[in-house]
């Protein structure tokens, strides 16, 4: 169990640029979540995959955000035409569900700063 | 659907006790508790399922009252290592996503 890995750890970009983050979940986990966290707030749900299928996407997520999970393994989160309001920590979590018992394992996150 | 946590912040001396509350306006199927230290990822503490159960982990325990749609986290004889931000997470009614509260920042001082 190597844990959930996220890259890069930090990303600084200029407004209007596109950015892509990667998440490698724990290998046997079929569920993968993306959350966004700003200072002093709890993780805010963005989207969720079960295997390669994206089952839900937050209504808060604009069309500039897209996520993929090809072959049900790693996942990428892309933000197009970044805005200063996109600055946040982007957290990935993976899990495997057993009945109604599910425990999320979080990665260390990618801290995005949009200048 | 985001659960509400209280208090927002707690300052304790080592050895003191604290209670953190989490409530939801929606029916709860399970409640999760996580702790996040500054600059680190949230770490799972425990999950409580329907049935009003209580759980304990070392000197940290929790209760879940599904009728009141509330959960409480109890930290007994706090240690310096307990410092961090505690989040409760609740499942949506489609079991597909977790909503997290805004967190309770706990600061344990010597």
């Amino acid at each position: 169990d190597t844990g959930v890995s996220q890259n890069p750890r930090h990303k600084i970009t200029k407004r209007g640029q596109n950015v892509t983050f990667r998440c490698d979940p724990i290998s046997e986990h079929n569920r993968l979540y993306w959350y966004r966290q700003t200072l002093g707030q709890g993780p805010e749900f963005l989207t969720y995959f079960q295997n390669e299928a994206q089952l839900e996407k937050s209504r808060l997520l604009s069309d500039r955000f897209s996520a993929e999970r090809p072959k049900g393994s790693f996942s990428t989160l892309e933000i197009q035409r970044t805005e200063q309001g996109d600055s946040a920590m982007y957290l990935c979590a993976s899990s495997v569900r057993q009945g109604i018992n599910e425990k999320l394992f979080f990665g260390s996150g990618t801290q995005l700063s949009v200048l | 659907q985001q659960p509400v946590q209280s208090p927002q912040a707690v300052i304790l001396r080592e050895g003191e006790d604290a209670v953190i509350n989490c409530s939801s306006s929606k029916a709860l199927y399970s409640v999760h508790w996580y702790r996040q230290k500054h600059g680190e990822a949230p770490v799972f503490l425990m999950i409580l399922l329907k049935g009003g159960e209580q759980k304990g982990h070392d000197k940290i325990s929790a209760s879940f009252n599904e009728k009141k749609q509330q959960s409480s986290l109890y930290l007994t004889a706090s240690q310096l290592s307990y410092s961090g931000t505690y989040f409760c997470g609740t499942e949506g009614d489609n079991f597909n996503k977790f909503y997290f509260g805004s967190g309770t920042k706990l600061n344990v001082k010597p």
Side-chain angles (χ1 to χ4, degrees):
Chain A
D1 181 356
T2 56
V4 178
S5 176
Q6 289 190 247
N7 288 289
R9 289 294 306 273
H10 300 93
K11 179 70 178 178
I12 300 173
T13 191
K14 291 183 179 178
R15 190 177 50 178
Q17 298 292 306
N18 299 345
V19 293
T20 300
F21 311 140
R22 177 178 169 123
C23 171
D24 287 272
I26 293 171
S27 58
E28 63 268 25
H29 286 185
N30 61 345
R31 294 181 167 222
L32 188 147
Y33 298 81
W34 283 100
Y35 286 87
R36 176 171 63 190
Q37 187 177 28
T38 52
L39 202 61
Q41 296 298 312
E44 176 188 28
F45 173 82
L46 293 179
T47 190
Y48 150 76
F49 291 85
Q50 180 156 309
N51 299 313
E52 67 275 10
Q54 186 175 19
L55 296 187
E56 193 139 3
K57 187 175 174 179
S58 169
R59 276 169 281 182
L60 300 173
L61 223 56
S62 75
D63 291 341
R64 297 184 296 106
F65 287 72
S66 62
E68 292 183 343
R69 193 183 181 196
K71 302 177 183 177
S73 55
F74 70 92
S75 176
T76 57
L77 178 69
E78 181 183 15
I79 308 174
Q80 295 182 326
R81 305 180 303 282
T82 52
E83 301 172 357
Q84 287 186 325
D86 297 332
S87 295
M89 173 73 81
Y90 288 83
L91 292 167
C92 173
S94 71
S95 72
V96 59
R97 192 172 193 97
Q98 296 171 327
I100 62 170
N101 199 339
E102 182 173 2
K103 182 168 74 173
L104 269 60
F105 292 82
F106 282 89
S108 298
T110 294
Q111 181 67 54
L112 174 67
S113 298
V114 182
L115 305 177
Chain B
Q1 298 193 29
Q2 184 181 17
V4 177
Q5 284 185 239
S6 63
Q8 287 187 323
V10 182
I11 299 175
L12 295 174
R13 293 282 179 195
E14 248 185 314
E16 291 182 340
D17 302 340
V19 180
I20 300 171
N21 300 303
C22 174
S23 64
S24 174
S25 59
K26 295 249 178 182
L28 297 178
Y29 297 89
S30 68
V31 176
H32 297 221
W33 287 97
Y34 290 79
R35 177 172 60 207
Q36 184 177 31
K37 293 187 180 280
H38 183 69
E40 299 179 8
V43 173
F44 175 84
L45 292 177
M46 65 186 79
I47 178 174
L48 298 106
L49 306 176
K50 285 179 70 172
E53 64 172 340
Q54 280 195 287
K55 270 197 174 180
H57 173 70
D58 196 9
K59 290 181 180 171
I60 299 175
S61 62
S63 63
F64 176 26
N65 186 325
E66 72 220 52
K67 288 183 181 177
K68 291 186 178 180
Q69 297 165 191
Q70 293 175 347
S71 176
S72 294
L73 186 72
Y74 306 95
L75 298 106
T76 307
S78 57
Q79 305 167 15
L80 294 176
S81 62
Y82 287 3
S83 291
T85 301
Y86 290 78
F87 296 101
C88 68
T90 58
E91 281 191 84
D93 53 12
N94 57 2
F95 299 103
N96 279 348
K97 58 192 177 190
F98 292 88
Y99 296 95
F100 288 90
S102 56
T104 296
K105 189 170 183 179
L106 183 76
N107 188 359
V108 181
K109 296 189 172 183

